[in-house]
Amino acid sequence: MQLLKKIKQGSPGWFLLTAGIILLLLIPNLNIIINLFGKAGENWEHVRDYLLINYFQNSLILVLASGLLAAFLGAGLAWIIAAYDFPGRNFLSWGLILPLAIPPYIGAYVYQGMFSYTGPLQTFLRNDFQLQLSQQYFDFMNIRGAIFIYTIFLFPYVFLMTKAFLSRQSASLLESSRLLGKNDSTIFFKIILPLSRGAVVAGSSLVMMEVLNDYGVVKYFGISTFTTAIFKTWFGMGDLATAVRLAVMAMLVIFVLLFLEKLLRGGRKYSYSTSNIRPLSRRKLKGSKKVLAQFFCYGVFFFGFLLPTIQLLYWSFLSRGGELLGTLNFALTSFLTGGGAAVLILTGAVIVATTARMSSSFISNLLARITILGYSIPGAVIAVGVLLFMLQLDQIFLFLQTGFGIEINLVLSSTLVMLIFAYAVRFMGIAFNSVNSGYQKIGESYFEASRTLGKGVTETFFKIDLPMLKPALMSGFLLIFIEIMKELPLTMILRPFNFDTLATKAFEYASDEMIYRAADLSLVLIFFSTAAIYLITHHRRRKNNAVEN
Amino acid sequence: MQLKIDNLTFAYNKKEGNIVENFNLEVQKGEVVALVGVSGSGKSTVLRLTAGLEIPDSGKISIAGQTAAGDHKFKAAEKRKVGMVFQDYALFPHLSVEKNIAFGIDHLSKANRKARVRRLLELVNLEGFEKRYPHQLSGGQQQRIALARTLAPGPELLLLDEPFSNLDAELKDKIRRDLNEIIKDVGVTTILVSHDREDAEFMQAREVLMS
């Protein structure tokens, strides 16, 4: 009855469309679980008895270590930026997000290239100082190296979430702690860290999901994880059934992580007893503390963005004029695929979020959970689910054609349709969150005012909601666009024959030790990502200023 | 009879209990009624139910002799011809004053629409404000534009949700006087919600206490 009460307010069209979208998002995941009960592949026993434990171990070590280190690094930096003032702070408050513009697999080959025997560091030491150090000091291609790469390029997730959280905290909290005689480090560990635990855990769980999703770094470094194993059994051995089983195992790991996240975030939600909150005022740093803060922040920026970018520029310079036409070609493919897919995904998300808004909180929470599911599951797993689904569809088409003579000259597997569908499964959650937070900012009364003025749900949507959602749609578009530009595992598995994006080609060149060629493509990719990050952060800033004035 | 509410019962959440229970109200055409009560007494909810923004659990609402809710029927908000001025005014920020007012009368021809917008701006004493945007108006001006927008389609019923709560004391007297004048001028049946009995007296409204 309660359900009916809320549904009645919307229009059935929106609910039907939403139900369709949700079903499409769920099918690939359900497919995998159902297939678990099917026949095991021929390699499964071997994998289970000899390799599985290794996959588990490696994946867990990578995920937990990177998650933990990124949590400390991100939370510490967020605290410095939120609570202190020093020269360069303004730039760093968005500059420290920039490591996200460099996909970890590009960072991995850049660092490996720098540290290798023929790389600039060792060459420099050899030629100018006659230093010949043991290669073990420079060995980057191991678990420790991978953890470093993940931490330095993914910590901004924690940084962003914690910084946003801290900017909403009350100044009197800190001031009263100081008046009670606590020094800054006590305040950080006793007040700030426990208070922002939820934000830090949320950011860190994003890092862990990215690590589990990653294919490029571990493949390049030769570390076996679930993702590489799925690739190997599928492409190397052509054993889809075993790949499915591995995918289920990876999903189990994810569910354990999600459960842990919930546990760590805790049921406790702190809220203020008063609505009148004065935001944190930043303390000016002087002397050695200032230098220390600058040294730390710029240091992280240097290793997470500046150094790899300079190295890439240098390589690109060495190969100048190399493959300009090819680069442009891949850039165009990436651009069109990313842009087109982002528009499609955003359209779907707008439909789902609009329905969520008209529904009871139970339904809208459920919709939010389902859309974000794809982002928690590693790309390689989604790829398996999507491929199974498309193969089933093709079989149905074939059946209709041979059985009933209905002409459907349509094959979906290994087409761009399949790839874009997979992107949608993976990134729908990001789009949904953008649109949903846009709706929350707008509130309900405009919608209701329009209804009482005689406009139905759909007309209200086009005349009122859509124009007011524009900023949220813009930042949602940019977020999905860069995610798709950087995306590797889904694209590698599901792309049509001869279809290459900047990401896949850069990774291929790097894997073939054609670093100079990879450099051009990587730079274009980083340029687009940086531009998108700049647009998103500076658009928000302008808006914040407008509110303050 | 312009509005008739019988045995209206409603809960946002079954666990929290009914916020409106067996509520009855009759309003004659042209009458001004004030629902007065403390916060949480369900007075704003009655407005939302009347406007069609919430669906009652039981009971019946008739507007101008037609069933709006009850007897297994539910008329959507956009079909009730009930105008509502929201507490935060809800002027569409991306539309000019003129377009805000014209929003509910786009079935009229362009010339008629223009004339009607001009007449309404005259009514609320804001001639010449056509091209402004909501953020360029003061709080009092925003309220008058919201009123003009609500009156534009000629509603059967005007609902005012806490019309004086966002205003400082000085402005309040003037606004109450203006509002009273406009409502009497148009002769529209009005229900307003307030936590302050003084508002009801000032508007010469029939008081209905809610608890």
Side-chain angles (χ1 to χ4, degrees):
Chain A
M1 185 60 207
Q2 285 286 320
L3 188 77
L4 199 75
K5 204 163 138 184
K6 283 298 181 188
I7 283 178
K8 245 178 161 176
Q9 283 291 57
S11 89
W14 289 92
F15 281 92
L16 282 177
L17 274 173
T18 299
I21 294 170
I22 291 296
L23 202 65
L24 280 176
L25 291 181
L26 278 177
I27 285 174
N29 298 316
L30 293 177
N31 243 334
I32 290 177
I33 295 172
I34 290 167
N35 260 276
L36 184 61
F37 303 106
K39 231 178 70 188
E42 50 191 314
N43 299 298
W44 173 242
E45 271 180 27
H46 174 76
V47 169
R48 186 191 59 201
D49 293 344
Y50 301 106
L51 302 170
L52 198 58
I53 188 86
N54 193 25
Y55 300 154
F56 255 116
Q57 253 172 12
N58 287 342
S59 295
L60 273 183
I61 292 172
L62 286 175
V63 163
L64 294 178
S66 315
L68 202 67
L69 288 174
F72 277 111
L73 190 60
L77 287 167
W79 168 241
I80 294 174
I81 294 293
Y84 300 107
D85 215 348
F86 52 90
R89 194 208 78 97
N90 250 347
F91 164 73
L92 285 164
S93 80
W94 79 277
L96 284 171
I97 307 171
L98 285 183
L100 273 190
I102 302 182
Y105 52 90
I106 289 178
Y109 86 78
V110 174
Y111 269 99
Q112 162 59 20
M114 278 191 294
F115 282 94
S116 71
Y117 189 77
T118 52
L121 182 69
Q122 287 205 52
T123 318
F124 175 66
L125 291 176
R126 228 177 7 250
N127 295 351
D128 295 312
F129 294 94
Q130 275 72 47
L131 265 178
Q132 277 274 42
L133 292 171
S134 157
Q135 284 307 309
Q136 67 175 0
Y137 295 122
F138 299 101
D139 183 15
F140 222 86
M141 299 177 93
N142 49 38
I143 287 199
R144 263 178 304 134
I147 291 171
F148 168 79
I149 294 289
Y150 290 136
T151 306
I152 199 78
F153 292 111
L154 296 176
F155 82 87
Y157 284 117
V158 184
F159 173 73
L160 269 170
M161 293 201 125
T162 315
K163 188 168 72 105
F165 176 81
L166 289 175
S167 71
R168 291 195 305 267
Q169 297 310 301
S170 167
S172 48
L173 208 69
L174 288 187
E175 285 158 5
S176 60
S177 313
R178 276 186 191 132
L179 288 175
L180 287 167
K182 304 291 179 206
N183 63 18
D184 281 13
S185 61
T186 316
I187 293 174
F188 178 71
F189 285 107
K190 286 255 160 94
I191 309 284
I192 298 301
L193 219 50
L195 202 61
S196 46
R197 187 177 67 174
V200 176
V201 170
S204 156
S205 69
L206 277 180
V207 173
M208 295 197 233
M209 278 158 195
E210 286 288 337
V211 172
L212 209 53
N213 172 59
D214 175 71
Y215 170 69
V217 177
V218 278
K219 170 75 179 143
Y220 189 67
F221 283 4
I223 303 167
S224 298
T225 63
F226 277 109
T227 302
T228 56
I230 290 170
F231 268 84
K232 209 184 323 176
T233 46
W234 189 349
F235 286 139
M237 311 175 188
D239 185 354
L240 187 57
T242 300
V244 169
R245 298 229 152 189
L246 284 167
V248 175
M249 298 286 154
M251 265 170 123
L252 282 180
V253 175
I254 282 292
F255 286 134
V256 171
L257 280 182
L258 287 177
F259 179 71
L260 272 179
E261 186 203 350
K262 222 174 157 54
L263 213 66
L264 279 173
R265 270 207 215 192
R268 280 179 288 179
K269 259 202 186 135
Y270 307 105
S271 63
Y272 284 98
S273 38
T274 158
S275 61
N276 194 4
I277 292 173
R278 202 159 35 90
L280 293 183
S281 55
R282 292 190 287 272
R283 244 210 334 210
K284 252 202 155 59
L285 285 181
K286 289 199 186 86
S288 60
K289 277 189 177 172
K290 180 182 83 177
V291 176
L292 206 65
Q294 281 177 314
F295 186 74
F296 181 48
C297 293
Y298 277 114
V300 173
F301 175 72
F302 178 75
F303 285 110
F305 186 77
L306 202 60
L307 180 65
T309 310
I310 291 172
Q311 177 65 67
L312 282 170
L313 281 170
Y314 175 67
W315 280 334
S316 170
F317 174 74
L318 288 183
S319 73
R320 102 203 78 140
E323 280 279 311
L324 189 63
L325 211 64
T327 307
L328 278 178
N329 206 0
F330 298 127
L332 194 69
T333 312
S334 280
F335 212 82
L336 292 178
T337 319
V343 168
L344 275 175
I345 294 168
L346 214 51
T347 310
V350 166
I351 294 171
V352 177
T354 305
T355 308
R357 185 163 84 127
M358 295 186 287
S359 313
S360 64
S361 56
F362 173 75
I363 295 182
S364 57
N365 279 341
L366 191 70
L367 290 176
R369 288 269 160 81
I370 294 174
T371 50
I372 204 70
L373 195 66
Y375 198 68
S376 343
I377 298 173
V381 178
I382 291 177
V384 174
V386 168
L387 188 82
L388 287 175
F389 176 46
M390 291 294 168
L391 288 175
Q392 288 159 357
L393 280 184
D394 284 346
Q395 260 163 15
I396 293 172
F397 290 157
L398 193 72
F399 174 73
L400 288 176
Q401 206 153 348
T402 51
F404 299 92
I406 304 167
E407 280 282 326
I408 312 172
N409 285 319
L410 194 62
V411 178
L412 291 177
S413 50
S414 317
T415 62
L416 203 54
V417 176
M418 178 164 84
L419 181 60
I420 287 175
F421 175 62
Y423 287 151
V425 174
R426 181 151 170 79
F427 298 124
M428 187 61 83
I430 300 179
F432 177 84
N433 280 345
S434 301
V435 181
N436 208 28
S437 68
Y439 267 137
Q440 267 159 14
K441 250 181 235 155
I442 296 171
E444 298 257 310
S445 57
Y446 299 108
F447 172 76
E448 293 177 346
S450 166
R451 297 288 303 277
T452 59
L453 287 166
K455 309 291 182 209
V457 173
T458 307
E459 198 179 349
T460 300
F461 170 75
F462 283 108
K463 284 194 168 155
I464 303 298
D465 294 337
L466 205 56
M468 290 184 74
L469 274 179
K470 235 184 242 162
L473 293 179
M474 200 56 223
S475 64
F477 175 85
L478 289 170
L479 278 177
I480 306 165
F481 180 71
I482 42 175
E483 283 290 345
I484 293 178
M485 293 271 285
K486 285 160 42 177
E487 212 289 328
L488 196 61
L490 281 179
T491 320
M492 290 287 274
I493 299 185
L494 297 176
R495 65 188 164 155
F497 185 67
N498 244 345
F499 176 89
D500 268 303
T501 61
L502 287 170
T504 60
K505 206 66 197 174
F507 181 71
E508 267 178 27
Y509 280 145
S511 303
D512 296 343
E513 298 298 327
M514 297 161 78
I515 290 177
Y516 300 115
R517 282 203 169 169
D520 289 345
L521 300 173
S522 305
L523 278 172
V524 179
L525 196 55
I526 292 169
F527 171 76
F528 279 128
S529 303
T530 306
I533 289 175
Y534 179 85
L535 283 176
I536 294 170
T537 53
H538 284 69
H539 181 72
R540 276 196 196 139
R541 239 188 239 186
R542 260 210 319 276
K543 256 190 13 205
N544 288 346
N545 288 341
V547 171
E548 274 161 26
N549 292 334
Chain B
M1 190 106 44
Q2 199 62 358
L3 172 69
K4 194 167 182 316
I5 298 178
D6 293 313
N7 281 323
L8 190 67
T9 299
F10 174 81
Y12 281 106
N13 186 333
K14 277 274 172 271
K15 277 178 229 148
E16 287 163 15
N18 293 335
I19 182 151
V20 177
E21 201 166 273
N22 291 326
F23 179 77
N24 294 290
L25 181 69
E26 289 186 4
V27 181
Q28 302 297 331
K29 198 169 171 109
E31 206 181 356
V32 178
V33 170
L35 301 181
V36 183
V38 293
S39 66
S41 58
K43 51 193 187 326
S44 288
T45 309
V46 170
L47 283 200
R48 293 177 59 80
L49 285 159
T50 308
L53 298 172
E54 306 289 349
I55 300 169
D57 293 320
S58 64
K60 195 175 156 182
I61 302 172
S62 321
I63 296 163
Q66 287 191 321
T67 305
D71 300 339
H72 303 287
K73 265 184 268 174
F74 180 79
K75 217 187 221 180
E78 61 265 30
K79 299 200 173 104
R80 290 195 183 188
K81 294 193 173 161
V82 170
M84 180 154 163
V85 177
F86 288 76
Q87 203 172 345
D88 56 1
Y89 315 137
L91 291 175
F92 306 127
H94 61 295
L95 300 180
S96 64
V97 162
E98 183 181 30
K99 291 207 170 116
N100 259 290
I101 297 177
F103 188 80
I105 47 171
D106 51 8
H107 53 280
L108 300 181
S109 72
K110 202 176 169 191
N112 282 343
R113 208 159 57 215
K114 264 216 140 98
R116 180 133 184 89
V117 169
R118 201 174 319 121
R119 227 178 30 250
L120 280 157
L121 281 172
E122 258 166 50
L123 182 75
V124 298
N125 258 322
L126 285 172
E127 295 104 321
F129 276 66
E130 282 91 344
K131 301 290 171 209
R132 302 255 192 124
Y133 278 86
H135 67 269
Q136 299 168 312
L137 305 175
S138 72
Q141 289 170 337
Q142 285 186 19
Q143 188 181 41
R144 278 186 278 162
I145 297 299
L147 183 65
R149 181 179 73 179
T150 310
L151 291 173
E156 299 279 1
L157 201 58
L158 173 66
L159 308 176
L160 305 170
D161 191 7
E162 292 277 3
F164 312 115
S165 67
N166 286 339
L167 308 166
D168 51 53
E170 265 172 69
L171 204 60
K172 198 165 159 176
D173 268 359
K174 184 183 158 16
I175 299 261
R176 281 197 292 211
R177 217 171 312 125
D178 290 352
L179 195 61
N180 200 12
E181 216 167 273
I182 294 167
I183 289 170
K184 294 279 147 68
D185 209 13
V186 181
V188 61
T189 315
T190 304
I191 302 174
L192 68 100
V193 152
S194 174
H195 57 274
D196 188 354
R197 295 186 65 172
E198 201 189 284
D199 289 340
E201 282 162 33
F202 214 101
M203 298 288 291
Q204 295 161 299
R206 171 159 68 92
E207 262 177 72
V208 174
L209 280 175
M210 294 198 65
S211 54

